[in-house]
Each structure stands twice: as structure tokens, then as C-alpha cells.
Amino acid sequence: MFMNPLKIALIAALPLLAAGPAMASTSARTATVSVIRDYSVKQPATATDHALTDQLQRQGFQDVGLMRDGNQIQVSGTRHGEELTLLYDGMHGRLTHVNGQPALMQQMQQDAQTGRGSPGDDR
């Protein structure tokens, strides 16, 4: 279930269909996943649902599903026997959790592993 610490660099995206990718990879295997971090809440729900599931299907994920519960949208799929679960805040159009961990934590782990955010880092 992508249990090794994920390295995710989340890139802010503009509208839903022009959303920029964010990369996640595990250290045990080279597995890269692009995900939508932000999307426009002004898009119809059907367009949002399609974009959020399509992002995984295009990358070879099987059994991709989407479940809405109030203002939360959960998207999940399995690739090479490992499950990925993304949780979005439907009210604000933002990725909040990856495999149960806060998305912000994923960014902090990536920064720590790459040295970004360190003194002298000029991003």
C-alpha cells in the first residue's frame, strides 16, 4: 500500500483540466504517480469525478473508484498490488491526504529528502 515513506512534490494547479502534476514515489520500488493537487470547484461534479479517476487509470491503476461523502472525495486504485488512496476536500478542491497521511506532510518529507527548505535553498 505504498507503505514506504512517499516522496511527494505537490505542484499547485489551476483549473481542473489544466491541473499540474505532483509526483510520488516509493523508495523500495521506483513507482511514480502524478496526482491533481488542486482543482476548480466551479467545474461540474461529473467533470471533477472523471478527472480524478482518469489521473490514476492513465497510469495503469486498476479497480479505480471514487466515493463522495459530504464534502470529501476519496479516490483509490491498485497498481502492482499496491493501493493508493487520495482524499480531497470537495468544498475547496484540494488534496488533503495521501494514504491516510496529510498531503502537507508528504511535501515536508520530499523537502527533507531533497534538502529543499534548508538554509541557503533559493527555490
Side-chain angles (χ1 to χ4, degrees):
M1 179 195 265
F2 292 101
M3 291 305 290
N4 294 325
L6 291 177
K7 295 177 267 180
I8 293 188
L10 298 174
I11 301 170
L14 293 176
L16 176 64
L17 298 177
M23 304 307 287
S25 64
T26 63
S27 56
R29 290 186 226 190
T30 305
T32 302
V33 181
S34 296
V35 299
I36 296 170
R37 179 179 181 233
D38 297 302
Y39 62 87
S40 172
V41 295
K42 295 178 181 179
Q43 296 287 333
T46 55
T48 299
D49 293 355
H50 176 73
L52 295 179
T53 56
D54 188 54
Q55 70 180 334
L56 297 183
Q57 290 171 336
R58 286 179 292 141
Q59 297 174 76
F61 280 83
Q62 302 294 315
D63 303 320
V64 175
L66 181 140
M67 183 176 69
R68 288 179 173 269
D69 185 15
N71 287 326
Q72 292 187 336
I73 303 171
Q74 179 178 311
V75 183
S76 60
T78 304
R79 182 172 72 176
H80 306 300
E82 298 187 58
E83 188 172 330
L84 175 66
T85 302
L86 307 171
L87 187 64
Y88 290 89
D89 173 350
M91 179 163 275
H92 298 100
R94 177 154 297 163
L95 176 66
T96 61
H97 290 81
V98 177
N99 287 343
Q101 293 188 16
L104 179 58
M105 178 63 76
Q106 301 295 334
Q107 179 64 52
M108 290 170 50
Q109 287 175 351
Q110 174 69 23
D111 288 349
Q113 292 172 346
T114 61
R116 290 183 175 247
S118 305
D121 178 26
D122 59 355
R123 276 197 219 218

